[in-house]
C-alpha cells in the first residue's frame, strides 16, 4: 500500500530534506541551480531556489499527499490561466518524485513570485483589493471540477465537527469551551443549510501567507493551492477574511471586515443565506486554526514555532467574538436581522419622522418585511394579499425588474448629462406607445409623479402664457407646492386656490362644465393653462364615464386655450385592461402625459411625454435638469416593467380578471360597484362603515383601502398579476367583513 493511501496530509510527518538536498534536487530534476532557502511550512517543505533574482519555489509534499490531489492542483492552475490569464498565480513548471528517508515524495517546482507578505497593517484600499482578488480567483474556478476536489481535508469548513475530539489537545479548559461552543453552533446553524449554499472548487487558503503584494499593496502573486477542495463559497471567503482580521485592534475588526466584504461583493455579491452564516464560518476557521495547532504541536513539538505562529492573534479574535456573542458578530458582518417588534417600531417612527407625515394605514399597522407577487409578508411571517398597491404593477419584487436594477447598479449609475443607452431606449419606447395622432414625440425623465405633474405644469404655462388649472373635484395629482394646489383630496377644509377650478368627475351626477370653469379663470386674470385628468378618476371615487364625456372635456379645454394633461400615475401601465394607457379607452389625444408610481415597480422613476415643441417653449425660458431623473438604473427598471407587461400579457390579464372581479363584487349586492380592469370601487353607505370593512379585511389578511370625497368607496387596485384564485380570496374576505 502506498503511503498516501493510509495517511492524511495532517497526520503524516513533514518531509525532512535539508536545504542542500533541496538545492541538489532542483538542479538534478529541473535544471535549476542555486541556493535553497527554507521557507517554512506546516505539513510540507518549501524552498526558495535563488538563481540571480529569478529561480523558483520547490515544494516537497509529505507522504500523505496522493496523486489525484496533485493532479487536481495542476489542472486547476491550468484552468485558472485559461479563464483569467492576468491573475498572478504561481504556475507549476515541473513535477517529479524523489525518495526520502521515510519514503517517496512528490516534488514540484513553481515559478517564483515577487513581492512582500502583508499583515494587519494593510490599509482599507489594500484590504478591499485583496478581497476583490479573492473573489476574482473564485470566479476563475467557478467552472472547474475534479474528482479529487471532494477530498477529506480537515482544514475544510465542512469538517468543523471533526474538530471536537481534537479540542482535547487545547490545554486551557476555558478556551476549549469556546471552541466547543463554536462547533455546537456550527452543527446547529450551518450544517442543516450547507446544501443550500453556493459551492464550488475553491483555493481553500487565500490568506496573507499565500499572497504576495507589490509596492502599492496590490496582489502580485498567489501561491499554495494545496488546500483546494469543493466547499461552500462563504466558507472559503471566511478563510481569507480571518487572515485580514487577525492582529487588528478590537475596535477596528468589524470596520475592516465590512471593507473586505464590500471588496469581495464587488465581484461576487453575497446572498442573504451566506451573510447570515458568515460569522459562523469565520468562527469555525478560527476554531480550526487553534485546535489543529494544539493537536499538531502535541505530535510535532519540534515544529511548534511555525505551527503556533498565528495562535495568539487567532485566540484573541476568537475570545473577543465569544465575549460579545456570535449573533452580535453576525450583525456586524451584515447578516439579515430579525424585525424590530411592531410596537417598538411604531414608537420609533413617531419619534424620528416629521409629524406632518401621513399616518399609518389600518388600525393594526402592517409591519412588512418582504413582498412577492401579490403577497406581502409581515414581521410575524403572516402572508397578506395585496389588493391595494398600484406601485408594484407587475407584482412585488418581480425578478426581472429587481435583476435589472441590480445589474445596472453594478455597472453604472449617473446623471443625464452623460450619454448612456437606457435613458434613450426608454424615451424611444415610451414615445412608441403614444397614439400617433397626438404627436407626443419627446420625453423627460424625473423621479416621481408629483415631479412629472409639476414639469407638465411648467410646460403648460410656458406654452399658453396662462396660469389657471382645472381638475376634478377630489383629484390627487401630487405634493409639490404647485401640484398640491391641483390635489383637492389634500386641501384643508374650505381651501381652494384662486387659480384652480374644479369640475365633477365625468360619469358622476355632478356638473362637468369646463367652459364655465375656464371662463371663471379668465375673469380672474389667470386663463386656462391646463386641465389635469386621472382617467381612472381614482381619488374621485373611481368612475367609468362614456368616451364622449371625456372627449367633451378635451375639446372644451382646447377651445379655452388650455392643454390637456393625462395623469397616468394611478390608472396607467395597463391597469384598466384595454390599453397600456387609460386615456386611450376614451379616444382622446392628450397634449401631455405624465407617468409615475408603477413605472419602476417600486424604483423611483417618472416621466413627462409631450410634443417637442412644448419642450422647446420651456427651453426658451429655462433648461430643466434632475440629478436622478432618468438615471441608468431607473431607466432599466422602467424598461423591465414594460417588458414584463408585454411578455406576461398583463393588460389582457387585467381585463379578464378585472371583469371577473367586478362581476363578483356586483353579485354581493352591497353597494354601487364601479371600475374597469383591475381598478374597482365599491361605494358603501358611510365612511365609518368603509373604514371598518377595510380594517376587518386587513385582519383577515387582505389589504384594500378607501377613496372618494366621502371616503366611503372601497378602493381595490391590486398588482396586475392578480389571478382568479386571488379574486376568490378577496371576495371571501370582503364578504366576511361586510357580514361579520
Amino acid at each position: 500500500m502506498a503511503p498516501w493511501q493510509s495517511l492524511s496530509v495532517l497526520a503524516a510527518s513533514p518531509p525532512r530534506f535539508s536545504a542542500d538536498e533541496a538545492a541538489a534536487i532542483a538542479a538534478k530534476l529541473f535544471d535549476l541551480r542555486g541556493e535553497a532557502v527554507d521557507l517554512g511550512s506546516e505539513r510540507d517543505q518549501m524552498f526558495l531556489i535563488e538563481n540571480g533574482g529569478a529561480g523558483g519555489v520547490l515544494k516537497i509534499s509529505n507522504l500523505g499527499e496522493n496523486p489525484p490531489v496533485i493532479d487536481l492542483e495542476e489542472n486547476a492552475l491550468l484552468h485558472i490561466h485559461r479563464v483569467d490569464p492576468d491573475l498572478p498565480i504561481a504556475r507549476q513548471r515541473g513535477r517529479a518524485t524523489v525518495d526520502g528517508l521515510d519514503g517517496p515524495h512528490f516534488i514540484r517546482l513553481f515559478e517564483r513570485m515577487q513581492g512582500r507578505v502583508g499583515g494587519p497593517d494593510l490599509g482599507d484600499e489594500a484590504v478591499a483589493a485583496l478581497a476583490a482578488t479573492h473573489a476574482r480567483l473564485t470566479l476563475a474556478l467557478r467552472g472547474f471540477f475534479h474528482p479529487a476536489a471532494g477530498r477529506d481535508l480537515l482544514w475544510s469548513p465542512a469538517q468543523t465537527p471533526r474538530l471536537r475530539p481534537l479540542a482535547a489537545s487545547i490545554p486551557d479548559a476555558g478556551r476549549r469551551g469556546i471552541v466547543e461552543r463554536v462547533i455546537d453552533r456550527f452543527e446547529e446553524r450551518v450544517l442543516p443549510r450547507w446544501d443550500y449554499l453556493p459551492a464550488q472548487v475553491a483555493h481553500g487558503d487565500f490568506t496573507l501567507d499565500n499572497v504576495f503584494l507589490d509596492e502599492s499593496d496590490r496582489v502580485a502573486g498567489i501561491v499554495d493551492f494545496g488546500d483546494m477542495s469543493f466547499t461552500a463559497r462563504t466558507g472559503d471567503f471566511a478563510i481569507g477574511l480571518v487572515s485580514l482580521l487577525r492582529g487588528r485592534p478590537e475596535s477596528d475588526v468589524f470596520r475592516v471586515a465590512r471593507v473586505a466584504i464590500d471588496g469581495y461583493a464587488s465581484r461576487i455579491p453575497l446572498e442573504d443565506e451566506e451573510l447570515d452564516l458568515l460569522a459562523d464560518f469565520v468562527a469555525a476557521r478560527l476554531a480550526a486554526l487553534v485546535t489543529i495547532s494544539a493537536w499538531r504541536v502535541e505530535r510535532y513539538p519540534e515544529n511548534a514555532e511555525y505551527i503556533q505562529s498565528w495562535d495568539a492573534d487567532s485566540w484573541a479574535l476568537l475570545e473577543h467574538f465569544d465575549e460579545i456573542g456570535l449573533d452580535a458578530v453576525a450583525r456586524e458582518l451584515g447578516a439579515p436581522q430579525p424585525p424590530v417588534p411592531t410596537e417598538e417600531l411604531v414608537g420609533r417612527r413617531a419619534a424620528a419622522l416629521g409629524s406632518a407625515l401621513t399616518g399609518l394605514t389600518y388600525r393594526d399597522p402592517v409591519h412588512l418585511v418582504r413582498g412577492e407577487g401579490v403577497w406581502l409578508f409581515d414581521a410575524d411571517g403572516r402572508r397578506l394579499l395585496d389588493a391595494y398597491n398600484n406601485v408594484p404593477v407587475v407584482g412585488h419584487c418581480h425578478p426581472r425588474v429587481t435583476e435589472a436594477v441590480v445589474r445596472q447598479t453594478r455597472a453604472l449609475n449617473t446623471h443625464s448629462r452623460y450619454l448612456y443607452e437606457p435613458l434613450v431606449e426608454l424615451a424611444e419606447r415610451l414615445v412608441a406607445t403614444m397614439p400617433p395622432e397626438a404627436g407626443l414625440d419627446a420625453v423627460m425623465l424625473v423621479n416621481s409623479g408629483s415631479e412629472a405633474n409639476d414639469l407638465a405644469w411648467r410646460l403648460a404655462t410656458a406654452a399658453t402664457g396662462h396660469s389657471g388649472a382645472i381638475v376634478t373635484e377630489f383629484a390627487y395629482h401630487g405634493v409639490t407646492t404647485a401640484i398640491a394646489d391641483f390635489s383637492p383630496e389634500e386641501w384643508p377644509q374650505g381651501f381652494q386656490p384662486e387659480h384652480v377650478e374644479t369640475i365633477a368627475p365625468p360619469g358622476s351626477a355632478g356638473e362637468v362644465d369646463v367652459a364655465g370653469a375656464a371662463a371663471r379663470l379668465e375673469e380672474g386674470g389667470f386663463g386656462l393653462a391646463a386641465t389635469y385628468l386621472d382617467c381612472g378618476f381614482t381619488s374621485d371615487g373611481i368612475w367609468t364615464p362614456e368616451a364622449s364625456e371625456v372627449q367633451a372635456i378635451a375639446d372644451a379645454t382646447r377651445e379655452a386655450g388650455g392643454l390637456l394633461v393625462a395623469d397616468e400615475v394611478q390608472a396607467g401601465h395597463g391597469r384598466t385592461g384595454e390599453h397600456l394607457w387609460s386615456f386611450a379607452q376614451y379616444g382622446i389625444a392628450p397634449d401631455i402625459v405624465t407617468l409615475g408610481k408603477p413605472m419602476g415597480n417600486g424604483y423611483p422613476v417618472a416621466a413627462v411625454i409631450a410634443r417637442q415643441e412644448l419642450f422647446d417653449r420651456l427651453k426658451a425660458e429655462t433648461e430643466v435638469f434632475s440629478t436622478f431623473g432618468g438615471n441608468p438604473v431607473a431607466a432599466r427598471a422602467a424598461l423591465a416593467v414594460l417588458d414584463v407587461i408585454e411578455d406576461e400579457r398583463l393588460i389582457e390579464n387585467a381585463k379578464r380578471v378585472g371583469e371577473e372581479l367586478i362581476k363578483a363584487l356586483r353579485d354581493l349586492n352591497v353597494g354601487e360597484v364601479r371600475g374597469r380592469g383591475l381598478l374597482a370601487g365599491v361605494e358603501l353607505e358611510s365612511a365609518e362603515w368603509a373604514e371598518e370593512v377595510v380594517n376587518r379585511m386587513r385582519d383577515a389578511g387582505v389589504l384594500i383601502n378607501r377613496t372618494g370625497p366621502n371616503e366611503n368607496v372601497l378602493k381595490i387596485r391590486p398588482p396586475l398579476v392578480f389571478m382568479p384564485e386571488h379574486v376568490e380570496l378577496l371576495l371571501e374576505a370582503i364578504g366576511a367583513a361586510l357580514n361579520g
Side-chain angles (χ1 to χ4, degrees):
M1 179 181 291
W4 57 267
Q5 293 177 309
S6 60
L7 294 173
S8 77
V9 290
L10 291 179
S13 300
R16 302 176 184 277
F17 290 84
S18 69
D20 288 342
E21 288 172 324
I25 290 170
K28 179 180 179 180
L29 298 181
F30 305 114
D31 197 26
L32 176 62
R33 290 167 174 77
E35 180 183 358
V37 178
D38 193 342
L39 299 176
S41 179
E42 177 195 14
R43 63 178 190 251
D44 306 310
Q45 278 190 297
M46 306 280 286
F47 293 93
L48 172 63
I49 309 299
E50 288 278 14
N51 183 3
V57 174
L58 194 72
K59 181 173 184 177
I60 307 175
S61 298
N62 74 21
L63 296 181
E65 202 69 89
N66 62 43
V69 170
I70 299 295
D71 188 62
L72 160 69
E73 292 182 44
E74 289 181 355
N75 281 280
L77 291 172
L78 292 171
H79 179 87
I80 294 166
H81 186 64
R82 285 195 304 271
V83 172
D84 190 347
D86 292 330
L87 266 174
I89 59 171
R91 286 174 289 181
Q92 184 173 312
R93 291 184 168 174
R95 169 184 168 185
T97 58
V98 67
D99 288 329
L101 296 175
D102 47 1
H105 294 266
F106 293 109
I107 307 287
R108 284 169 289 169
L109 180 68
F110 295 90
E111 66 178 312
R112 179 183 183 179
M113 308 302 292
Q114 302 290 338
R116 74 174 188 89
V117 174
D121 59 329
L122 284 180
D124 291 355
E125 290 186 5
V127 167
L130 194 89
T133 302
H134 188 172
R136 181 179 163 192
L137 176 62
T138 302
L139 286 172
L141 284 165
R142 187 167 51 181
F144 174 75
F145 188 74
H146 189 284
R151 62 196 294 203
D152 182 12
L153 186 63
L154 188 57
W155 283 115
S156 173
Q159 303 302 321
T160 297
R162 290 179 56 198
L163 298 174
R164 194 179 296 278
L166 306 187
S169 299
I170 300 171
D172 183 274
R175 286 183 163 180
R176 192 162 56 248
I178 293 174
V179 168
E180 289 169 347
R181 285 192 289 276
V182 169
I183 298 171
D184 290 343
R185 182 179 164 105
F186 192 93
E187 290 178 333
E188 176 186 344
R189 298 190 78 246
V190 180
L191 289 187
R193 297 151 78 182
W194 184 273
D195 290 340
Y196 296 95
L197 296 171
Q200 64 171 87
V201 177
H203 183 280
D205 198 18
F206 193 91
T207 65
L208 291 174
D209 291 332
N210 293 327
V211 172
F212 291 100
L213 306 176
D214 62 19
E215 62 279 0
S216 299
D217 285 340
R218 298 301 184 267
V219 176
I222 305 168
V223 301
D224 195 357
F225 286 72
D227 287 330
M228 291 189 72
S229 68
F230 186 88
T231 187
R233 193 174 62 190
T234 329
D236 179 68
F237 171 55
I239 289 168
L241 184 58
V242 164
S243 178
L244 290 168
L245 299 182
R246 289 184 304 187
R248 300 267 178 178
E250 285 184 3
S251 60
D252 211 30
V253 164
F254 294 123
R255 187 193 66 80
V256 172
R258 289 188 289 271
V259 170
I261 291 168
D262 288 345
Y264 189 88
S266 69
R267 297 274 185 162
I268 304 178
L270 296 171
E271 299 177 4
D272 284 351
E273 193 87 355
E274 294 178 290
L275 283 170
D276 192 41
L277 298 177
L278 181 56
D280 294 287
F281 277 114
V282 166
R285 171 62 173 181
L286 289 166
L289 286 170
V290 297
T291 301
I292 295 174
S293 172
W295 173 65
R296 285 183 61 75
V297 164
E298 280 188 341
R299 299 173 66 88
Y300 307 110
E302 72 280 3
N303 201 24
E305 181 178 356
Y306 182 88
I307 293 172
Q308 294 178 319
S309 57
W310 279 102
D311 275 16
D313 289 330
S314 298
W315 274 119
L317 201 53
L318 194 55
E319 288 169 336
H320 176 51
F321 290 171
D322 183 70
E323 181 181 359
I324 65 174
L326 282 183
D327 285 340
V329 176
R331 284 194 296 273
E332 294 284 359
L333 299 186
Q337 296 305 300
V340 174
T342 299
E343 289 186 7
E344 177 188 338
L345 194 60
V346 168
R348 287 169 56 183
R349 182 185 193 270
L353 300 178
S355 58
L357 178 66
T358 300
L360 293 165
T361 307
Y362 311 112
R363 62 190 171 205
D364 181 10
V366 176
H367 180 183
L368 298 175
V369 297
R370 187 168 68 86
E372 181 180 345
V374 298
W375 298 102
L376 290 166
F377 298 81
D378 70 14
D380 296 323
R382 187 184 183 196
R383 189 173 71 163
L384 305 170
L385 180 65
D386 184 5
Y388 170 55
N389 288 290
N390 76 316
V391 176
V393 65
V394 298
H396 291 279
C397 305
H398 192 287
R400 186 158 348 159
V401 182
T402 56
E403 285 304 307
V405 168
V406 170
R407 285 195 298 271
Q408 187 61 54
T409 301
R410 290 178 188 151
L412 173 71
N413 201 18
T414 184
H415 56 73
S416 57
R417 284 191 173 122
Y418 297 120
L419 190 63
Y420 45 83
E421 285 82 358
L423 173 59
V424 177
E425 182 182 348
L426 177 60
E428 292 170 342
R429 286 278 295 277
L430 291 175
V431 165
T433 67
M434 295 294 123
E437 65 272 16
L440 302 171
D441 58 354
V443 178
M444 290 195 69
L445 277 293
V446 288
N447 306 290
S448 68
S450 294
E451 291 179 60
N453 282 325
D454 194 282
L455 179 54
W457 180 239
R458 295 175 69 182
L459 291 173
T461 56
T464 64
H466 300 159
S467 57
I470 295 174
V471 297
T472 52
E473 289 174 338
F474 207 63
Y476 176 81
H477 293 291
V479 297
T480 67
T481 300
I483 300 304
D485 285 346
F486 303 166
S487 300
E489 183 185 39
E490 302 294 318
W491 288 352
Q493 187 70 32
F495 171 81
Q496 180 171 336
E498 59 180 357
H499 69 295
V500 179
E501 290 289 332
T502 63
I503 57 174
S508 69
E511 183 179 16
V512 186
D513 184 9
V514 174
R520 290 190 293 275
L521 289 172
E522 190 67 37
E523 291 169 6
F526 301 107
L528 177 60
T531 298
Y532 278 72
L533 288 182
D534 160 15
C535 287
F537 305 99
T538 315
S539 297
D540 288 292
I542 305 174
W543 297 92
T544 55
E546 295 296 324
S548 59
E549 296 179 74
V550 181
Q551 290 167 5
I553 295 174
D555 292 342
T557 294
R558 293 187 174 114
E559 286 174 8
L563 302 181
L564 182 67
V565 178
D567 180 347
E568 292 287 330
V569 173
Q570 295 200 66
H573 281 88
R575 177 157 300 280
T576 54
E578 293 286 348
H579 306 275
L580 187 60
W581 311 119
S582 63
F583 68 78
Q585 66 197 331
Y586 299 116
I588 60 174
D591 298 289
I592 304 171
V593 177
T594 58
L595 313 178
K597 288 180 174 58
M599 190 174 174
N601 210 55
Y603 194 92
V605 57
V608 178
I609 310 165
R611 296 187 299 277
Q612 189 69 262
E613 65 184 84
L614 295 180
F615 288 112
D616 291 342
R617 296 273 193 93
L618 182 60
K619 180 177 173 58
E621 298 178 3
T622 184
E623 287 188 342
V624 176
F625 175 70
S626 170
T627 299
F628 299 110
N631 68 75
V633 177
R636 283 293 180 211
L639 285 165
V641 168
L642 293 174
D643 287 341
V644 172
I645 289 173
E646 181 177 345
D647 289 350
E648 297 186 11
R649 299 177 178 175
L650 293 184
I651 298 175
E652 296 92 326
N653 186 71
K655 177 179 175 61
R656 181 176 62 255
V657 178
E659 288 175 348
E660 179 181 331
L661 169 64
I662 291 170
K663 179 182 182 301
L665 289 170
R666 286 175 176 152
D667 290 343
L668 293 175
N669 293 316
V670 295
E672 182 180 356
V673 176
R674 301 186 291 268
R676 184 180 279 115
L678 285 173
L679 176 62
V682 181
E683 185 168 350
L684 303 182
E685 59 265 31
S686 69
E688 293 75 20
W689 180 226
E691 182 179 17
E692 180 63 24
V693 170
V694 166
N695 279 296
R696 288 182 181 182
M697 292 186 67
R698 179 264 181 270
D699 295 340
V702 178
L703 304 181
I704 65 168
N705 211 322
R706 57 197 177 114
T707 188
N710 299 315
E711 299 186 86
N712 65 329
V713 178
L714 301 180
K715 179 164 61 173
I716 301 170
R717 189 185 57 180
L720 300 192
V721 291
F722 218 65
M723 295 295 172
E725 60 267 28
H726 306 131
V727 172
E728 292 180 15
L729 294 172
L730 184 147
L731 290 170
E732 181 181 338
I734 199 171
L738 289 165
N739 299 312

